[in-house]
Amino acid sequence: MARKKIALIGGGQIGGVLAQLCALRELGDVVLFDIVEGLPQGKTLDIAEAAPVDGFDVQIKGTNKYEDIAGADVVIVTAGLPRKPGMSRDDLISVNSKIMTTVAEGIKQYAPNAFVIVISNPLDAMVTLCQRITGFPTNRVVGQAGVLDSARFAAFIAWELGVSVKDVSAVTLGGHGDDMVPLVRYTSVCGIPVMELLERKYGSAEKAAEVMAAMVKRTRGAGGEVVALLKTGSAFYSPASSAIAMAESFLKDSKRVLPTCAFLNGEFGVDGLYVGVPVVIGAGGAEKVLELKLNAEEQAMMDKSVKAVKELVATLK
Ligand code: APR
C-alpha cells in the first residue's frame, strides 16, 4: 500500500510543528508549502535530518509550488497571519480571507480529493471560505478549534483537581471565539461529573461554581493568554497537536469523536453554517455530527455563539 500524503499549507510556527509531528508519528509523506522561499525547504531539511535520531521513515519536502501537493490525502491549512497582543481572531478576517482565497484555489486544483483541515483564523469564517472556494463536499472541509478548546478546558480541570489530564473528558461547542461554550454538565473525570469533584474539594456548591466559572473564562480566553505572553504570535504547539489528532483519525479511519468545526444541516437547530460540535472523524471525513441535549442555559450560550459566527461569516466578501 502506498504511503499516505499530507500537505501542509503554511510553513510558519504551526506548519513546522505539524510537519515534525507527521514525521514523528509516521502518518505519511509530508509536503510543507509556503510562499516564502527557503522557509519550508529549510524547516523540512532540518526535520528530515533528525530522522536517523528519531527513527522515522517518511519523505518530507518543502516547496513553494502548489504542484507538489498533488495527490494529498490530507491538507492542513495554517497560511495566514496570527494574532498580536490586543487583537481578536476576528481582526484577522480581511487579510486572511485574501490568503485563504489563493490557498483554496491551489487545493482545489492540485488536491481535489483531499480531506481539508483549516486552522487559520478567524477559524469559522476561514473554513467557510475554504469550502466555498474549493466546492468540496462539506464532510471533506472542517476546522480545528474544538479539539484545542476542549484540551485547554481539560488541562485546567486536571490541574485544579490534581488528576491526570488523561482522565478528564471535556467538550466545548460553538464558534472559536470568546463566546465558545465549554459544556460543564458533560465534563467528567473517569465518568464522575466535574462539579461533584469540585464540590467535594471545596465543601460548598458556591465555591465550586466560582472555581468552575474561572476555568470557563480562562478557556474562552486561553488563546489570548498565550498571545499576551508570546507577544509576537499565537499558540502553535497545541493547535498543531489538535489538528494532527483529526488528521490521524481520518487517515486511520479511527472514528474518533472530536469537537470539530463542521457544517451543520439542521443539527443543534443550526442550518447551513460551520460551527464547533462533536463529530465522528473517519475515512469519510466528518462522517457524523453527534447531537446532545442542551438545557436552557447551555442553549442560550450556544445561540449567542452561533449568532457571533453568523455575523462573522456574513462579513465575508
Ligand atoms: N500561501 C501560503 N502560505 C502563506 C500565504 C499564502 N498565500 N500567506 C502567508 N503564508 C504563510 C506565511 O509565510 C507564514 O509562514 O503562512 C505562515 C503563517 O505562519 P505564522 O505567521 O508563523 O502563523 P502561525 O502561528 O503558524 O499561525 C497560522 O493559524 O492559529 C492560526 O491565528 C493563526 O491565522 C493564524 C494561523
Side-chain angles (χ1 to χ4, degrees):
M1 194 169 67
R3 255 189 233 154
K4 299 290 187 184
K5 178 169 174 176
I6 301 128
L8 309 171
I9 312 292
Q13 296 283 64
I14 303 177
V17 180
L18 283 170
Q20 190 181 29
L21 288 175
C22 287
L24 287 172
R25 296 184 188 195
E26 294 190 312
L27 292 184
D29 292 336
V30 180
V31 174
L32 182 67
F33 173 97
D34 203 286
I35 48 167
V36 178
E37 278 178 34
L39 177 71
Q41 292 86 350
K43 285 201 178 181
T44 50
L45 179 62
D46 190 14
I47 293 168
E49 287 170 355
V53 184
D54 286 316
F56 55 79
D57 219 347
V58 295
Q59 284 175 20
I60 171 160
K61 173 183 174 146
T63 186
N64 307 113
K65 286 192 267 172
Y66 270 107
E67 298 92 281
D68 290 327
I69 73 166
D73 297 283
V74 176
V75 177
I76 307 179
V77 184
T78 63
L81 261 54
R83 285 194 275 175
K84 297 235 164 56
M87 287 174 90
S88 80
R89 294 183 182 92
D90 296 0
D91 292 335
L92 300 167
I93 192 159
S94 159
V95 58
N96 282 355
S97 292
K98 289 192 190 104
I99 294 172
M100 181 56 78
T101 302
T102 60
V103 167
E105 278 161 1
I107 297 170
K108 181 182 181 177
Q109 184 173 355
Y110 291 102
N113 299 313
F115 177 55
V116 183
I117 303 170
V118 175
I119 305 184
S120 311
N121 275 313
L123 194 267
D124 308 281
M126 290 305 101
V127 184
T128 305
L129 191 58
C130 185
Q131 191 279 326
R132 282 184 190 167
I133 294 170
T134 57
F136 290 0
T138 51
N139 64 308
R140 279 208 285 120
V141 183
V142 297
Q144 187 301 114
V147 174
L148 173 55
D149 296 331
S150 306
R152 285 169 166 158
F153 190 33
F156 301 149
I157 290 164
W159 301 341
E160 166 62 34
L161 290 171
V163 299
S164 169
V165 289
K166 290 183 190 169
D167 299 316
V168 179
S169 174
V171 63
T172 57
L173 300 182
H176 187 46
D178 300 342
D179 294 321
M180 69 179 77
V181 187
L183 277 186
V184 175
R185 209 163 51 93
Y186 285 97
T187 296
S188 60
V189 179
C190 188
I192 308 162
V194 66
M195 291 312 293
E196 261 184 57
L197 294 173
L198 283 175
E199 281 172 30
R200 214 160 290 147
K201 175 173 173 181
Y202 288 103
S204 109
E206 288 72 27
K207 178 67 184 164
E210 195 183 300
V211 170
M212 178 49 78
M215 289 194 286
V216 165
K217 186 166 180 237
R218 190 175 181 193
T219 301
R220 289 184 165 138
E225 185 180 351
V226 175
V227 173
L229 290 165
L230 293 179
K231 296 183 185 69
T232 53
S234 48
F236 53 100
Y237 294 110
S238 55
S241 292
S242 302
I244 290 294
M246 297 169 75
E248 190 165 23
S249 190
F250 168 78
L251 290 165
K252 297 184 177 169
D253 193 22
S254 316
K255 307 212 188 290
R256 290 199 59 194
V257 181
L258 297 171
T260 298
C261 180
F263 192 79
L264 299 185
N265 288 303
E267 298 94 340
F268 288 90
V270 179
D271 204 14
L273 196 71
Y274 270 99
V275 179
V277 291
V279 174
V280 177
I281 297 196
E287 294 184 351
K288 190 175 169 42
V289 172
L290 296 190
E291 290 193 78
L292 49 89
K293 284 203 181 100
L294 300 179
N295 64 25
E297 191 191 350
E298 292 156 351
Q299 188 64 54
M301 287 193 285
M302 183 68 165
D303 291 346
K304 188 172 176 220
S305 183
V306 167
K307 184 167 172 277
V309 173
K310 257 189 201 150
E311 285 168 3
L312 177 71
V313 169
T315 66
L316 286 173
K317 300 255 160 35

